[in-house]
């Protein structure tokens, strides 16, 4: 991979976007590489949780690569957004393994959109977040108009997109945009601790929980129906047998993930 670093530690796959000179901006190649990295992590049974971060101390991701956007026409703009949604942003959101964004600095435009596609967000106290696309004559095109409103409410989403202003980590925490804020030196260890407390639980149940929560935000699907059906499906899994047996036998569960 030209633009990513990958590392696996105790069931946690760490994917680092590595274009620090461009503040880890998302060019087309990086988006393709991220798709491959997330697909491989999804298929690898040894990976239970994924942490996504940016290299360097300054930036998580400073957005889509503006130099690549500059020459596009209307049709190419639509294609870029559609491809991005399919291969990366919706792909990450619907991955059946928890994905944590470790926001280590600027998360702007497509960078904040990528963090919002992850299931959980932990920010370092130097992080700054915003959707500055209107300064470029654009709107957010990688899901930002939808996910920002879902996470922080419509009024605040309008304000952030209209003003293009960045918010700091403490405002992001207050708005519910991030789950936790820690010092930069603690960022990865906080994410690893969070991952450890997730990965002792049933991988199958985590996957069903992701499906059920996401389905509540889809137009053509009834989230309650998905919950009922997924809840039922759990009863047919080895993880359910192991979880309930472990409880009754007063021991820790060792989930097979099937
Ligand atoms: N695309 C391409 N290159 C970028 C970039 C981006 N989004 N963000 C930063 N860079 C590059 C800069 O061009 C610069 O490269 P050079 O040294 O070759 O000139 C390098 O990264 C360092 O950036 P700065 O010198 O600007 O650093 P700074 O500390 O002065 O400012 C910043 C940091 C405030 C984040 C500023 O870089 C900035 O405003 N970046 C753009 C943020 C932005 O508008 N993002 C939205 C992109 S559009 C989008 O994402 C569309 C979508 O929804 C699909």
């Amino acid at each position: 991979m030209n633009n990513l670093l990958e590392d696996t530690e105790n069931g946690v796959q760490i994917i680092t976007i590595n274009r620090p000179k461009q503040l880890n901006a998302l060019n087309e190649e990086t988006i393709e590489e991220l798709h491959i990295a997330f697909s491989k992590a999804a298929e690898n049974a040894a990976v239970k949780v994924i942490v996504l971060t940016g290299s360097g101390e300054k930036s998580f991701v400073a957005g889509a690569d503006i130099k690549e956007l500059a020459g596009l026409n209307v049709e190419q703009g639509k294609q870029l957004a559609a491809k991005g949604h399919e291969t990366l942003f919706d792909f990450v959101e619907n991955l059946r393994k928890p994905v944590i964004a470790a926001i280590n600095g600027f998360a702007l435009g497509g960078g904040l959109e990528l963090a919002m596609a992850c299931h959980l967000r932990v920010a370092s106290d130097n992080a700054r977040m915003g959707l500055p696309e209107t300064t470029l004559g654009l709107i957010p095109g990688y899901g930002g108009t939808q996910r920002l409103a879902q996470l922080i409410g419509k009024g605040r989403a309008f304000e952030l997109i209209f003003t293009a202003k960045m918010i700091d980590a403490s405002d992001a925490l207050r708005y519910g945009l991030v789950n936790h804020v820690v010092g930069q030196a603690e960022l990865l260890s906080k994410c690893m601790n969070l991952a450890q407390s997730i990965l002792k639980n049933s991988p199958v149940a985590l996957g069903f929980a992701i499906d059920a929560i996401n389905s509540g935000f889809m137009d053509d699907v009834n989230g309650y129906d998905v919950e009922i059906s997924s809840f039922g499906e759990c009863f047919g899994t080895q993880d359910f047998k192991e979880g309930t047996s472990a409880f009754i036998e007063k021991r820790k569960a060792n989930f097979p993930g099937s």
Side-chain angles (χ1 to χ4, degrees), residues 218-251:
M218 292 171 185
D219 284 339
D220 47 349
V221 184
N222 182 313
Y224 292 99
D225 287 344
V226 174
E227 183 186 277
I228 290 165
S229 139
S230 301
F231 178 77
E233 292 295 326
C234 291
F235 288 80
T237 67
Q238 295 303 315
D239 277 11
F240 170 70
K241 288 196 179 70
E242 169 60 11
T244 45
S245 306
F247 178 82
I248 291 162
E249 292 160 18
K250 298 192 185 301
R251 61 174 174 81

PDB file of all heavy atoms in Angstrom, residues 218-251:
ATOM      1  N   MET A 218     -32.128   4.006   7.910  1.00  0.00           N
ATOM      2  CA  MET A 218     -32.369   3.780   6.472  1.00  0.00           C
ATOM      3  C   MET A 218     -33.843   4.044   6.170  1.00  0.00           C
ATOM      4  O   MET A 218     -34.713   3.722   6.981  1.00  0.00           O
ATOM      5  CB  MET A 218     -32.035   2.327   6.107  1.00  0.00           C
ATOM      6  CG  MET A 218     -30.558   2.020   6.217  1.00  0.00           C
ATOM      7  SD  MET A 218     -30.284   0.248   6.018  1.00  0.00           S
ATOM      8  CE  MET A 218     -28.539   0.154   6.344  1.00  0.00           C
ATOM      9  N   ASP A 219     -34.118   4.581   4.978  1.00  0.00           N
ATOM     10  CA  ASP A 219     -35.491   4.950   4.628  1.00  0.00           C
ATOM     11  C   ASP A 219     -36.388   3.750   4.358  1.00  0.00           C
ATOM     12  O   ASP A 219     -37.552   3.750   4.695  1.00  0.00           O
ATOM     13  CB  ASP A 219     -35.485   5.806   3.350  1.00  0.00           C
ATOM     14  CG  ASP A 219     -35.037   7.213   3.663  1.00  0.00           C
ATOM     15  OD1 ASP A 219     -35.132   7.603   4.844  1.00  0.00           O
ATOM     16  OD2 ASP A 219     -34.579   7.898   2.735  1.00  0.00           O
ATOM     17  N   ASP A 220     -35.804   2.738   3.725  1.00  0.00           N
ATOM     18  CA  ASP A 220     -36.637   1.650   3.227  1.00  0.00           C
ATOM     19  C   ASP A 220     -36.650   0.437   4.156  1.00  0.00           C
ATOM     20  O   ASP A 220     -37.117  -0.627   3.782  1.00  0.00           O
ATOM     21  CB  ASP A 220     -36.139   1.240   1.824  1.00  0.00           C
ATOM     22  CG  ASP A 220     -34.616   1.087   1.789  1.00  0.00           C
ATOM     23  OD1 ASP A 220     -33.959   1.497   2.776  1.00  0.00           O
ATOM     24  OD2 ASP A 220     -34.087   0.543   0.808  1.00  0.00           O
ATOM     25  N   VAL A 221     -36.137   0.592   5.367  1.00  0.00           N
ATOM     26  CA  VAL A 221     -36.027  -0.553   6.283  1.00  0.00           C
ATOM     27  C   VAL A 221     -36.600  -0.135   7.627  1.00  0.00           C
ATOM     28  O   VAL A 221     -36.393   0.993   8.067  1.00  0.00           O
ATOM     29  CB  VAL A 221     -34.532  -0.936   6.482  1.00  0.00           C
ATOM     30  CG1 VAL A 221     -34.393  -2.165   7.349  1.00  0.00           C
ATOM     31  CG2 VAL A 221     -33.823  -1.158   5.157  1.00  0.00           C
ATOM     32  N   ASN A 222     -37.318  -1.052   8.280  1.00  0.00           N
ATOM     33  CA  ASN A 222     -37.820  -0.761   9.623  1.00  0.00           C
ATOM     34  C   ASN A 222     -36.834  -1.320  10.653  1.00  0.00           C
ATOM     35  O   ASN A 222     -36.640  -2.530  10.745  1.00  0.00           O
ATOM     36  CB  ASN A 222     -39.212  -1.390   9.783  1.00  0.00           C
ATOM     37  CG  ASN A 222     -39.811  -1.082  11.138  1.00  0.00           C
ATOM     38  OD1 ASN A 222     -39.152  -1.224  12.174  1.00  0.00           O
ATOM     39  ND2 ASN A 222     -41.049  -0.647  11.143  1.00  0.00           N
ATOM     40  N   GLY A 223     -36.215  -0.429  11.398  1.00  0.00           N
ATOM     41  CA  GLY A 223     -35.180  -0.826  12.355  1.00  0.00           C
ATOM     42  C   GLY A 223     -35.702  -1.799  13.405  1.00  0.00           C
ATOM     43  O   GLY A 223     -34.983  -2.708  13.833  1.00  0.00           O
ATOM     44  N   TYR A 224     -36.960  -1.613  13.840  1.00  0.00           N
ATOM     45  CA  TYR A 224     -37.516  -2.527  14.856  1.00  0.00           C
ATOM     46  C   TYR A 224     -37.652  -3.934  14.289  1.00  0.00           C
ATOM     47  O   TYR A 224     -37.383  -4.919  14.970  1.00  0.00           O
ATOM     48  CB  TYR A 224     -38.876  -2.020  15.354  1.00  0.00           C
ATOM     49  CG  TYR A 224     -38.756  -0.748  16.161  1.00  0.00           C
ATOM     50  CD1 TYR A 224     -39.006   0.491  15.575  1.00  0.00           C
ATOM     51  CD2 TYR A 224     -38.382  -0.784  17.508  1.00  0.00           C
ATOM     52  CE1 TYR A 224     -38.882   1.657  16.301  1.00  0.00           C
ATOM     53  CE2 TYR A 224     -38.251   0.381  18.241  1.00  0.00           C
ATOM     54  CZ  TYR A 224     -38.499   1.601  17.641  1.00  0.00           C
ATOM     55  OH  TYR A 224     -38.367   2.750  18.358  1.00  0.00           O
ATOM     56  N   ASP A 225     -38.055  -4.018  12.998  1.00  0.00           N
ATOM     57  CA  ASP A 225     -38.174  -5.348  12.374  1.00  0.00           C
ATOM     58  C   ASP A 225     -36.804  -6.019  12.289  1.00  0.00           C
ATOM     59  O   ASP A 225     -36.682  -7.226  12.542  1.00  0.00           O
ATOM     60  CB  ASP A 225     -38.745  -5.227  10.947  1.00  0.00           C
ATOM     61  CG  ASP A 225     -40.224  -4.883  10.967  1.00  0.00           C
ATOM     62  OD1 ASP A 225     -40.846  -5.035  12.036  1.00  0.00           O
ATOM     63  OD2 ASP A 225     -40.729  -4.438   9.917  1.00  0.00           O
ATOM     64  N   VAL A 226     -35.776  -5.216  11.927  1.00  0.00           N
ATOM     65  CA  VAL A 226     -34.419  -5.788  11.839  1.00  0.00           C
ATOM     66  C   VAL A 226     -33.973  -6.245  13.226  1.00  0.00           C
ATOM     67  O   VAL A 226     -33.368  -7.314  13.384  1.00  0.00           O
ATOM     68  CB  VAL A 226     -33.430  -4.766  11.230  1.00  0.00           C
ATOM     69  CG1 VAL A 226     -32.005  -5.286  11.280  1.00  0.00           C
ATOM     70  CG2 VAL A 226     -33.824  -4.435   9.793  1.00  0.00           C
ATOM     71  N   GLU A 227     -34.281  -5.448  14.252  1.00  0.00           N
ATOM     72  CA  GLU A 227     -33.901  -5.846  15.612  1.00  0.00           C
ATOM     73  C   GLU A 227     -34.555  -7.172  15.985  1.00  0.00           C
ATOM     74  O   GLU A 227     -33.892  -8.082  16.500  1.00  0.00           O
ATOM     75  CB  GLU A 227     -34.303  -4.758  16.611  1.00  0.00           C
ATOM     76  CG  GLU A 227     -33.864  -5.096  18.027  1.00  0.00           C
ATOM     77  CD  GLU A 227     -34.374  -4.112  19.056  1.00  0.00           C
ATOM     78  OE1 GLU A 227     -33.753  -3.058  19.249  1.00  0.00           O
ATOM     79  OE2 GLU A 227     -35.423  -4.402  19.669  1.00  0.00           O
ATOM     80  N   ILE A 228     -35.854  -7.298  15.711  1.00  0.00           N
ATOM     81  CA  ILE A 228     -36.582  -8.527  16.081  1.00  0.00           C
ATOM     82  C   ILE A 228     -35.963  -9.730  15.376  1.00  0.00           C
ATOM     83  O   ILE A 228     -35.665 -10.752  16.004  1.00  0.00           O
ATOM     84  CB  ILE A 228     -38.085  -8.380  15.717  1.00  0.00           C
ATOM     85  CG1 ILE A 228     -38.739  -7.364  16.654  1.00  0.00           C
ATOM     86  CG2 ILE A 228     -38.805  -9.729  15.785  1.00  0.00           C
ATOM     87  CD1 ILE A 228     -40.106  -6.866  16.185  1.00  0.00           C
ATOM     88  N   SER A 229     -35.725  -9.576  14.086  1.00  0.00           N
ATOM     89  CA  SER A 229     -35.203 -10.710  13.329  1.00  0.00           C
ATOM     90  C   SER A 229     -33.763 -11.046  13.754  1.00  0.00           C
ATOM     91  O   SER A 229     -33.407 -12.213  13.934  1.00  0.00           O
ATOM     92  CB  SER A 229     -35.362 -10.390  11.839  1.00  0.00           C
ATOM     93  OG  SER A 229     -34.258 -10.775  11.131  1.00  0.00           O
ATOM     94  N   SER A 230     -32.935 -10.012  13.978  1.00  0.00           N
ATOM     95  CA  SER A 230     -31.542 -10.267  14.379  1.00  0.00           C
ATOM     96  C   SER A 230     -31.473 -10.866  15.781  1.00  0.00           C
ATOM     97  O   SER A 230     -30.655 -11.754  16.050  1.00  0.00           O
ATOM     98  CB  SER A 230     -30.735  -8.963  14.357  1.00  0.00           C
ATOM     99  OG  SER A 230     -30.757  -8.405  13.080  1.00  0.00           O
ATOM    100  N   PHE A 231     -32.341 -10.364  16.672  1.00  0.00           N
ATOM    101  CA  PHE A 231     -32.412 -10.929  18.030  1.00  0.00           C
ATOM    102  C   PHE A 231     -32.698 -12.424  17.923  1.00  0.00           C
ATOM    103  O   PHE A 231     -32.023 -13.247  18.537  1.00  0.00           O
ATOM    104  CB  PHE A 231     -33.521 -10.213  18.823  1.00  0.00           C
ATOM    105  CG  PHE A 231     -33.719 -10.727  20.219  1.00  0.00           C
ATOM    106  CD1 PHE A 231     -32.833 -10.389  21.240  1.00  0.00           C
ATOM    107  CD2 PHE A 231     -34.821 -11.524  20.539  1.00  0.00           C
ATOM    108  CE1 PHE A 231     -33.031 -10.856  22.538  1.00  0.00           C
ATOM    109  CE2 PHE A 231     -35.023 -11.993  21.826  1.00  0.00           C
ATOM    110  CZ  PHE A 231     -34.125 -11.657  22.830  1.00  0.00           C
ATOM    111  N   GLY A 232     -33.677 -12.789  17.095  1.00  0.00           N
ATOM    112  CA  GLY A 232     -34.011 -14.200  16.892  1.00  0.00           C
ATOM    113  C   GLY A 232     -32.834 -14.990  16.353  1.00  0.00           C
ATOM    114  O   GLY A 232     -32.514 -16.072  16.853  1.00  0.00           O
ATOM    115  N   GLU A 233     -32.150 -14.428  15.358  1.00  0.00           N
ATOM    116  CA  GLU A 233     -31.004 -15.115  14.741  1.00  0.00           C
ATOM    117  C   GLU A 233     -29.927 -15.438  15.768  1.00  0.00           C
ATOM    118  O   GLU A 233     -29.236 -16.459  15.670  1.00  0.00           O
ATOM    119  CB  GLU A 233     -30.373 -14.261  13.630  1.00  0.00           C
ATOM    120  CG  GLU A 233     -31.238 -14.058  12.393  1.00  0.00           C
ATOM    121  CD  GLU A 233     -31.499 -15.354  11.652  1.00  0.00           C
ATOM    122  OE1 GLU A 233     -30.615 -16.224  11.628  1.00  0.00           O
ATOM    123  OE2 GLU A 233     -32.625 -15.490  11.125  1.00  0.00           O
ATOM    124  N   CYS A 234     -29.763 -14.563  16.748  1.00  0.00           N
ATOM    125  CA  CYS A 234     -28.726 -14.795  17.781  1.00  0.00           C
ATOM    126  C   CYS A 234     -28.908 -16.149  18.449  1.00  0.00           C
ATOM    127  O   CYS A 234     -27.926 -16.805  18.830  1.00  0.00           O
ATOM    128  CB  CYS A 234     -28.782 -13.707  18.863  1.00  0.00           C
ATOM    129  SG  CYS A 234     -28.272 -12.088  18.297  1.00  0.00           S
ATOM    130  N   PHE A 235     -30.186 -16.582  18.607  1.00  0.00           N
ATOM    131  CA  PHE A 235     -30.443 -17.834  19.334  1.00  0.00           C
ATOM    132  C   PHE A 235     -29.907 -19.054  18.590  1.00  0.00           C
ATOM    133  O   PHE A 235     -29.738 -20.116  19.184  1.00  0.00           O
ATOM    134  CB  PHE A 235     -31.953 -17.992  19.605  1.00  0.00           C
ATOM    135  CG  PHE A 235     -32.434 -17.026  20.666  1.00  0.00           C
ATOM    136  CD1 PHE A 235     -32.688 -15.700  20.345  1.00  0.00           C
ATOM    137  CD2 PHE A 235     -32.599 -17.441  21.978  1.00  0.00           C
ATOM    138  CE1 PHE A 235     -33.103 -14.801  21.310  1.00  0.00           C
ATOM    139  CE2 PHE A 235     -33.012 -16.543  22.958  1.00  0.00           C
ATOM    140  CZ  PHE A 235     -33.260 -15.220  22.628  1.00  0.00           C
ATOM    141  N   GLY A 236     -29.625 -18.891  17.294  1.00  0.00           N
ATOM    142  CA  GLY A 236     -29.091 -20.017  16.514  1.00  0.00           C
ATOM    143  C   GLY A 236     -27.577 -20.030  16.456  1.00  0.00           C
ATOM    144  O   GLY A 236     -26.998 -20.810  15.698  1.00  0.00           O
ATOM    145  N   THR A 237     -26.902 -19.177  17.220  1.00  0.00           N
ATOM    146  CA  THR A 237     -25.433 -19.069  17.077  1.00  0.00           C
ATOM    147  C   THR A 237     -24.682 -19.826  18.186  1.00  0.00           C
ATOM    148  O   THR A 237     -25.206 -20.012  19.291  1.00  0.00           O
ATOM    149  CB  THR A 237     -24.981 -17.587  17.112  1.00  0.00           C
ATOM    150  OG1 THR A 237     -25.214 -17.062  18.428  1.00  0.00           O
ATOM    151  CG2 THR A 237     -25.731 -16.747  16.085  1.00  0.00           C
ATOM    152  N   GLN A 238     -23.460 -20.211  17.857  1.00  0.00           N
ATOM    153  CA  GLN A 238     -22.574 -20.828  18.856  1.00  0.00           C
ATOM    154  C   GLN A 238     -22.228 -19.806  19.937  1.00  0.00           C
ATOM    155  O   GLN A 238     -22.048 -20.156  21.102  1.00  0.00           O
ATOM    156  CB  GLN A 238     -21.284 -21.325  18.183  1.00  0.00           C
ATOM    157  CG  GLN A 238     -21.486 -22.445  17.187  1.00  0.00           C
ATOM    158  CD  GLN A 238     -22.161 -23.653  17.809  1.00  0.00           C
ATOM    159  OE1 GLN A 238     -21.803 -24.092  18.905  1.00  0.00           O
ATOM    160  NE2 GLN A 238     -23.174 -24.172  17.134  1.00  0.00           N
ATOM    161  N   ASP A 239     -22.107 -18.545  19.535  1.00  0.00           N
ATOM    162  CA  ASP A 239     -21.784 -17.500  20.519  1.00  0.00           C
ATOM    163  C   ASP A 239     -22.856 -17.432  21.618  1.00  0.00           C
ATOM    164  O   ASP A 239     -22.541 -17.245  22.801  1.00  0.00           O
ATOM    165  CB  ASP A 239     -21.675 -16.121  19.835  1.00  0.00           C
ATOM    166  CG  ASP A 239     -20.300 -15.882  19.207  1.00  0.00           C
ATOM    167  OD1 ASP A 239     -19.506 -16.843  19.123  1.00  0.00           O
ATOM    168  OD2 ASP A 239     -20.027 -14.738  18.806  1.00  0.00           O
ATOM    169  N   PHE A 240     -24.122 -17.572  21.230  1.00  0.00           N
ATOM    170  CA  PHE A 240     -25.208 -17.527  22.226  1.00  0.00           C
ATOM    171  C   PHE A 240     -25.083 -18.715  23.182  1.00  0.00           C
ATOM    172  O   PHE A 240     -25.184 -18.565  24.405  1.00  0.00           O
ATOM    173  CB  PHE A 240     -26.569 -17.526  21.513  1.00  0.00           C
ATOM    174  CG  PHE A 240     -27.734 -17.716  22.451  1.00  0.00           C
ATOM    175  CD1 PHE A 240     -28.098 -16.719  23.355  1.00  0.00           C
ATOM    176  CD2 PHE A 240     -28.465 -18.899  22.438  1.00  0.00           C
ATOM    177  CE1 PHE A 240     -29.164 -16.908  24.231  1.00  0.00           C
ATOM    178  CE2 PHE A 240     -29.532 -19.095  23.303  1.00  0.00           C
ATOM    179  CZ  PHE A 240     -29.888 -18.093  24.203  1.00  0.00           C
ATOM    180  N   LYS A 241     -24.805 -19.905  22.609  1.00  0.00           N
ATOM    181  CA  LYS A 241     -24.648 -21.108  23.468  1.00  0.00           C
ATOM    182  C   LYS A 241     -23.506 -20.885  24.450  1.00  0.00           C
ATOM    183  O   LYS A 241     -23.611 -21.170  25.633  1.00  0.00           O
ATOM    184  CB  LYS A 241     -24.353 -22.347  22.616  1.00  0.00           C
ATOM    185  CG  LYS A 241     -25.553 -22.816  21.827  1.00  0.00           C
ATOM    186  CD  LYS A 241     -25.342 -24.249  21.312  1.00  0.00           C
ATOM    187  CE  LYS A 241     -26.566 -24.713  20.542  1.00  0.00           C
ATOM    188  NZ  LYS A 241     -26.725 -24.017  19.235  1.00  0.00           N
ATOM    189  N   GLU A 242     -22.377 -20.360  23.925  1.00  0.00           N
ATOM    190  CA  GLU A 242     -21.203 -20.144  24.769  1.00  0.00           C
ATOM    191  C   GLU A 242     -21.474 -19.055  25.827  1.00  0.00           C
ATOM    192  O   GLU A 242     -21.135 -19.224  26.993  1.00  0.00           O
ATOM    193  CB  GLU A 242     -19.997 -19.751  23.893  1.00  0.00           C
ATOM    194  CG  GLU A 242     -18.773 -19.240  24.633  1.00  0.00           C
ATOM    195  CD  GLU A 242     -18.174 -20.234  25.632  1.00  0.00           C
ATOM    196  OE1 GLU A 242     -18.560 -21.414  25.634  1.00  0.00           O
ATOM    197  OE2 GLU A 242     -17.328 -19.788  26.443  1.00  0.00           O
ATOM    198  N   GLY A 243     -22.097 -17.981  25.418  1.00  0.00           N
ATOM    199  CA  GLY A 243     -22.343 -16.863  26.351  1.00  0.00           C
ATOM    200  C   GLY A 243     -23.239 -17.284  27.496  1.00  0.00           C
ATOM    201  O   GLY A 243     -22.955 -16.980  28.667  1.00  0.00           O
ATOM    202  N   THR A 244     -24.325 -17.989  27.177  1.00  0.00           N
ATOM    203  CA  THR A 244     -25.253 -18.388  28.240  1.00  0.00           C
ATOM    204  C   THR A 244     -24.641 -19.498  29.099  1.00  0.00           C
ATOM    205  O   THR A 244     -24.791 -19.486  30.324  1.00  0.00           O
ATOM    206  CB  THR A 244     -26.614 -18.839  27.646  1.00  0.00           C
ATOM    207  OG1 THR A 244     -26.362 -19.702  26.539  1.00  0.00           O
ATOM    208  CG2 THR A 244     -27.427 -17.651  27.161  1.00  0.00           C
ATOM    209  N   SER A 245     -23.917 -20.447  28.462  1.00  0.00           N
ATOM    210  CA  SER A 245     -23.263 -21.512  29.257  1.00  0.00           C
ATOM    211  C   SER A 245     -22.255 -20.898  30.216  1.00  0.00           C
ATOM    212  O   SER A 245     -22.189 -21.273  31.390  1.00  0.00           O
ATOM    213  CB  SER A 245     -22.513 -22.508  28.375  1.00  0.00           C
ATOM    214  OG  SER A 245     -23.353 -23.016  27.402  1.00  0.00           O
ATOM    215  N   ALA A 246     -21.458 -19.967  29.723  1.00  0.00           N
ATOM    216  CA  ALA A 246     -20.431 -19.341  30.571  1.00  0.00           C
ATOM    217  C   ALA A 246     -21.078 -18.633  31.759  1.00  0.00           C
ATOM    218  O   ALA A 246     -20.583 -18.722  32.890  1.00  0.00           O
ATOM    219  CB  ALA A 246     -19.604 -18.356  29.746  1.00  0.00           C
ATOM    220  N   PHE A 247     -22.194 -17.965  31.505  1.00  0.00           N
ATOM    221  CA  PHE A 247     -22.875 -17.279  32.621  1.00  0.00           C
ATOM    222  C   PHE A 247     -23.307 -18.296  33.676  1.00  0.00           C
ATOM    223  O   PHE A 247     -23.050 -18.113  34.869  1.00  0.00           O
ATOM    224  CB  PHE A 247     -24.097 -16.491  32.095  1.00  0.00           C
ATOM    225  CG  PHE A 247     -24.857 -15.816  33.197  1.00  0.00           C
ATOM    226  CD1 PHE A 247     -24.424 -14.590  33.704  1.00  0.00           C
ATOM    227  CD2 PHE A 247     -25.972 -16.412  33.774  1.00  0.00           C
ATOM    228  CE1 PHE A 247     -25.096 -13.976  34.759  1.00  0.00           C
ATOM    229  CE2 PHE A 247     -26.648 -15.795  34.824  1.00  0.00           C
ATOM    230  CZ  PHE A 247     -26.213 -14.573  35.307  1.00  0.00           C
ATOM    231  N   ILE A 248     -23.949 -19.370  33.213  1.00  0.00           N
ATOM    232  CA  ILE A 248     -24.485 -20.367  34.155  1.00  0.00           C
ATOM    233  C   ILE A 248     -23.343 -21.075  34.893  1.00  0.00           C
ATOM    234  O   ILE A 248     -23.425 -21.342  36.087  1.00  0.00           O
ATOM    235  CB  ILE A 248     -25.399 -21.370  33.392  1.00  0.00           C
ATOM    236  CG1 ILE A 248     -26.666 -20.630  32.939  1.00  0.00           C
ATOM    237  CG2 ILE A 248     -25.769 -22.577  34.251  1.00  0.00           C
ATOM    238  CD1 ILE A 248     -27.443 -21.315  31.835  1.00  0.00           C
ATOM    239  N   GLU A 249     -22.240 -21.319  34.197  1.00  0.00           N
ATOM    240  CA  GLU A 249     -21.088 -22.013  34.817  1.00  0.00           C
ATOM    241  C   GLU A 249     -20.159 -21.050  35.551  1.00  0.00           C
ATOM    242  O   GLU A 249     -19.087 -21.433  36.016  1.00  0.00           O
ATOM    243  CB  GLU A 249     -20.304 -22.754  33.720  1.00  0.00           C
ATOM    244  CG  GLU A 249     -21.080 -23.928  33.133  1.00  0.00           C
ATOM    245  CD  GLU A 249     -20.557 -24.358  31.755  1.00  0.00           C
ATOM    246  OE1 GLU A 249     -19.409 -23.997  31.401  1.00  0.00           O
ATOM    247  OE2 GLU A 249     -21.316 -25.038  31.033  1.00  0.00           O
ATOM    248  N   LYS A 250     -20.533 -19.780  35.631  1.00  0.00           N
ATOM    249  CA  LYS A 250     -19.766 -18.738  36.339  1.00  0.00           C
ATOM    250  C   LYS A 250     -18.317 -18.678  35.864  1.00  0.00           C
ATOM    251  O   LYS A 250     -17.370 -18.738  36.641  1.00  0.00           O
ATOM    252  CB  LYS A 250     -19.833 -18.954  37.866  1.00  0.00           C
ATOM    253  CG  LYS A 250     -21.249 -18.870  38.429  1.00  0.00           C
ATOM    254  CD  LYS A 250     -21.251 -18.788  39.942  1.00  0.00           C
ATOM    255  CE  LYS A 250     -22.645 -18.833  40.525  1.00  0.00           C
ATOM    256  NZ  LYS A 250     -23.543 -17.764  40.086  1.00  0.00           N
ATOM    257  N   ARG A 251     -18.146 -18.615  34.547  1.00  0.00           N
ATOM    258  CA  ARG A 251     -16.808 -18.449  33.967  1.00  0.00           C
ATOM    259  C   ARG A 251     -16.895 -17.407  32.862  1.00  0.00           C
ATOM    260  O   ARG A 251     -17.989 -17.004  32.444  1.00  0.00           O
ATOM    261  CB  ARG A 251     -16.286 -19.788  33.424  1.00  0.00           C
ATOM    262  CG  ARG A 251     -17.158 -20.374  32.328  1.00  0.00           C
ATOM    263  CD  ARG A 251     -16.567 -21.613  31.693  1.00  0.00           C
ATOM    264  NE  ARG A 251     -17.503 -22.203  30.754  1.00  0.00           N
ATOM    265  CZ  ARG A 251     -17.695 -21.799  29.501  1.00  0.00           C
ATOM    266  NH1 ARG A 251     -16.987 -20.788  29.017  1.00  0.00           N
ATOM    267  NH2 ARG A 251     -18.583 -22.360  28.707  1.00  0.00           N
TER     268      ARG A 251
END
